[in-house]
Amino acid sequence: MNGRAMKQSLLILMMSLVMQAPMFAESVSSKSYHKRIELLTYLRELEPIVKNFRGEDPEGKPTELNAPEGKEGFRIKKYNEAKRIYQEGLQYHFEGNYSSAYQRFLECQLGIEKITEELSQLYILRAEEMMKTAMERKNPNNPMDKALLDISIEYGKGSYFRQDVMDIPREAPYSRRMYDPKEAHYSYNKYDIEKNLELGYKHLGLAKEARATALRVEKNLEKHQKLQPSHRKYRIDLYFGAINLGRDSKANAINIYKLKYPYDNYYLNNSQAKSEPSKDENGVAVEGQPVKVDGVTYDFTKNPYIKYDKRLQAMFDVRVPEDYRVDHADVRGRVYDLDSNNMVFMKYDQERKKALNVPAKPASGATSTPQQ
């Protein structure tokens, strides 16, 4: 090959390499664009979470949803800082300064990674706590209240209750019923209660596994390697996976409460807002007591925001213990405090509020939503 032919060959090779370069290297503008969309999705998903679990203020006290700067919960503070950095990145991006924009987006990504790491642990702990309490009796003083293991033992097909009491033929009204009819729901709901227990702990185990996998990413790197944006994205996705699996576990715990205590929402159907009358251990009738929702009692049957179906808002569902109603709302992606202000106190319907004689909302220190 002469010199002229060699030069032509080298020129063709160089041109082909230049043409193939964009196929292997992503431009910084493209990186900035995709990171912008990615982080916006994360921030949107985080918003109801941090509003429900705001954390304590610098003095260790529970915080209000719209607390002033310096008094907000520590999770709200971290979330707002991530939003501030993201906004700076947006400004650079739309100016065309993609290098600075991408740098800001990476800083925001690091902040989101830290927030989701801590939140995933919180969700796992709360889900585990809810599952354990759902298995036990909610009211130890109520003889009709049963622990989950007692339901499995006493109300199965081979149990005394089913064989010798519930399933035995009788001639009414000459033969009286040998059990309280309100006890029968344990037998009807036994399988569903046990299935929710199984699924609740299955989801909890998967949440723990997802979080552990995320934490191992950095340990599996070589000594000369550092965490790359792709690694952080992988970890954040796993943390969100753990959060959503924790929500699933919480939903199973809430289902157990609903199946075990179907009569606790009786107060929604009577004008006095009283719980259902019951009998004590000696068979003496016990009058129902007025039920308070977020510190307020009034005629809930006239509340236009009450829904008696599956859309029932968390603050009205007293089958679930008060400490876990914020979790009940969060499972649906709702913000508990916003629902409470709008639904219970009718914040934006003053005329309807007066017509129903709704009392003033309690002071913030009187009944505060539990925060972790």
Side-chain angles (χ1 to χ4, degrees):
M1 183 181 294
N2 57 30
R4 181 183 178 87
M6 183 176 293
K7 288 180 180 179
Q8 289 178 345
S9 300
L10 287 173
L11 182 60
I12 293 172
L13 178 61
M14 290 173 65
M15 289 180 64
S16 64
L17 290 174
V18 170
M19 293 176 64
Q20 292 178 14
M23 298 174 58
F24 300 101
E26 185 180 10
S27 66
V28 68
S29 61
S30 177
K31 289 181 179 180
S32 177
Y33 172 79
H34 288 103
K35 191 61 66 177
R36 174 172 70 92
I37 303 301
E38 173 191 317
L39 295 177
L40 183 60
T41 304
Y42 291 151
L43 290 170
R44 186 179 292 121
E45 191 169 351
L46 275 174
E47 183 189 13
I49 297 176
V50 297
K51 285 183 176 179
N52 279 320
F53 303 102
R54 299 179 290 276
E56 298 81 10
D57 65 9
E59 297 178 358
K61 298 178 181 178
T63 57
E64 295 295 320
L65 181 59
N66 297 314
E69 187 176 356
K71 295 290 185 180
E72 71 271 35
F74 67 87
R75 293 191 189 98
I76 286 282
K77 185 175 182 180
K78 291 179 181 178
Y79 178 69
N80 288 340
E81 178 64 15
K83 287 201 301 182
R84 183 189 65 78
I85 297 172
Y86 178 79
Q87 184 169 304
E88 289 181 4
L90 276 183
Q91 294 169 357
Y92 284 124
H93 180 83
F94 293 131
E95 286 177 2
N97 187 352
Y98 300 116
S99 179
S100 296
Y102 187 59
Q103 196 64 37
R104 286 291 187 273
F105 289 150
L106 291 183
E107 291 177 26
C108 179
Q109 184 186 41
L110 177 59
I112 291 175
E113 181 187 359
K114 292 179 179 179
I115 294 172
T116 52
E117 179 183 347
E118 193 265 337
L119 279 171
S120 63
Q121 178 69 0
L122 172 68
Y123 270 65
I124 288 172
L125 292 175
R126 285 189 72 88
E128 193 165 20
E129 179 184 335
M130 287 177 68
M131 286 298 301
K132 287 180 179 178
T133 54
M135 292 172 63
E136 302 300 330
R137 299 170 66 185
K138 187 168 75 169
N139 183 5
N141 297 322
N142 182 3
M144 289 296 295
D145 196 346
K146 301 288 183 180
L148 194 146
L149 182 58
D150 293 332
I151 294 172
S152 296
I153 294 172
E154 298 175 20
Y155 299 98
K157 289 184 178 180
S159 67
Y160 166 80
F161 179 83
R162 289 292 299 270
Q163 286 186 338
D164 295 346
V165 179
M166 187 175 176
D167 293 343
I168 189 171
R170 69 184 183 89
E171 187 178 356
Y174 304 105
S175 300
R176 71 180 183 89
R177 185 187 289 111
M178 299 299 292
Y179 61 92
D180 190 323
K182 290 183 180 177
E183 191 179 2
H185 78 277
Y186 288 128
S187 180
Y188 299 142
N189 295 336
K190 172 185 160 306
Y191 171 80
D192 290 332
I193 292 172
E194 292 174 338
K195 196 64 180 177
N196 274 283
L197 174 70
E198 176 188 341
L199 290 174
Y201 276 106
K202 181 178 181 179
H203 291 141
L204 185 61
L206 290 172
K208 292 179 178 179
E209 183 179 342
R211 188 173 189 277
T213 302
L215 293 173
R216 284 198 298 266
V217 170
E218 192 169 9
K219 295 180 180 178
N220 292 336
L221 296 177
E222 299 293 339
K223 291 183 179 180
H224 65 279
Q225 290 181 310
K226 294 183 179 180
L227 280 175
Q228 299 299 316
S230 58
H231 294 141
R232 297 196 186 280
K233 181 182 184 303
Y234 178 65
R235 294 180 80 175
I236 292 172
D237 290 341
L238 284 171
Y239 290 139
F240 271 118
I243 288 171
N244 289 322
L245 285 165
R247 276 177 166 166
D248 290 339
S249 182
K250 291 180 182 182
N252 292 125
I254 290 166
N255 287 340
I256 293 173
Y257 281 117
K258 291 180 177 180
L259 292 166
K260 285 175 67 177
Y261 309 109
Y263 305 108
D264 284 9
N265 280 347
Y266 171 83
Y267 80 101
L268 290 174
N269 299 284
N270 66 89
S271 60
Q272 294 179 320
K274 287 186 176 182
S275 60
E276 192 176 25
S278 60
K279 293 182 179 180
D280 61 15
E281 296 178 352
N282 300 319
V284 179
V286 178
E287 182 69 18
Q289 299 298 315
V291 174
K292 290 187 176 183
V293 175
D294 207 0
V296 172
T297 296
Y298 62 95
D299 186 354
F300 290 97
T301 62
K302 296 180 180 179
N303 187 337
Y305 300 103
I306 290 280
K307 303 291 184 183
Y308 290 103
D309 56 13
K310 294 180 180 179
R311 293 173 294 172
L312 181 67
Q313 296 294 335
M315 78 287 300
F316 297 123
D317 197 348
V318 299
R319 294 172 296 183
V320 179
E322 186 174 5
D323 288 350
Y324 303 132
R325 286 177 204 159
V326 63
D327 300 273
H328 190 353
D330 183 73
V331 163
R332 303 178 181 184
R334 305 288 301 181
V335 179
Y336 181 84
D337 289 72
L338 293 179
D339 282 349
S340 178
N341 285 333
N342 297 342
M343 301 288 182
V344 179
F345 304 107
M346 302 173 197
K347 183 176 180 181
Y348 304 109
D349 192 351
Q350 298 301 323
E351 294 302 320
R352 189 65 174 159
K353 184 176 178 180
K354 292 176 182 177
L356 294 178
N357 297 319
V358 179
K361 185 174 180 179
S364 59
T367 54
S368 59
T369 304
Q371 296 293 320
Q372 293 294 322

